[in-house]
Amino acid sequence: MSAQPDHPVSYKVSAISYSINAIGTALADQKRTQFYSEVLAAEGTVAIDAVMEKWWREAMLDRAPGAEASRANASAGRKLVAVEDLIAQVERAAG
């Protein structure tokens, strides 16, 4: 008997295209509304890019496996990880 899963678990998520439509589509309803509101209110390329960057990151984080549970745990102060431990985990995963 093995403790390994029958099927390998992948924690990688595909990247969201860096466009207004792709970002908007990837966001949940309330976030999507806020994103479009901010994009429409932004004036100039630099401001639009800043809004897109903020919401692209938000959409990518939402795609991470267990993101909702992780946020709930963080809000409740459960299962917190020190920054140093998180960096080590990321380095091992990238290794």
Side-chain angles (χ1 to χ4, degrees), residues 73-89:
N73 285 334
S75 293
R78 298 184 304 255
K79 299 184 180 182
L80 301 178
V81 177
V83 172
E84 295 81 10
D85 295 338
L86 180 60
I87 291 169
Q89 289 177 16

Side-chain angles (χ1 to χ4, degrees), residues 11-24:
Y11 294 102
K12 294 182 180 181
V13 294
S14 58
I16 297 165
S17 296
Y18 197 76
S19 70
I20 291 172
N21 285 337
I23 296 167

Side-chain angles (χ1 to χ4, degrees), residues 35-59:
F35 166 68
Y36 284 128
S37 174
E38 289 181 25
V39 166
L40 291 172
E43 294 184 19
T45 304
V46 174
I48 293 171
D49 285 345
V51 170
M52 288 177 63
E53 179 70 20
K54 169 188 162 184
W55 286 101
W56 179 84
R57 289 177 190 225
E58 183 76 20

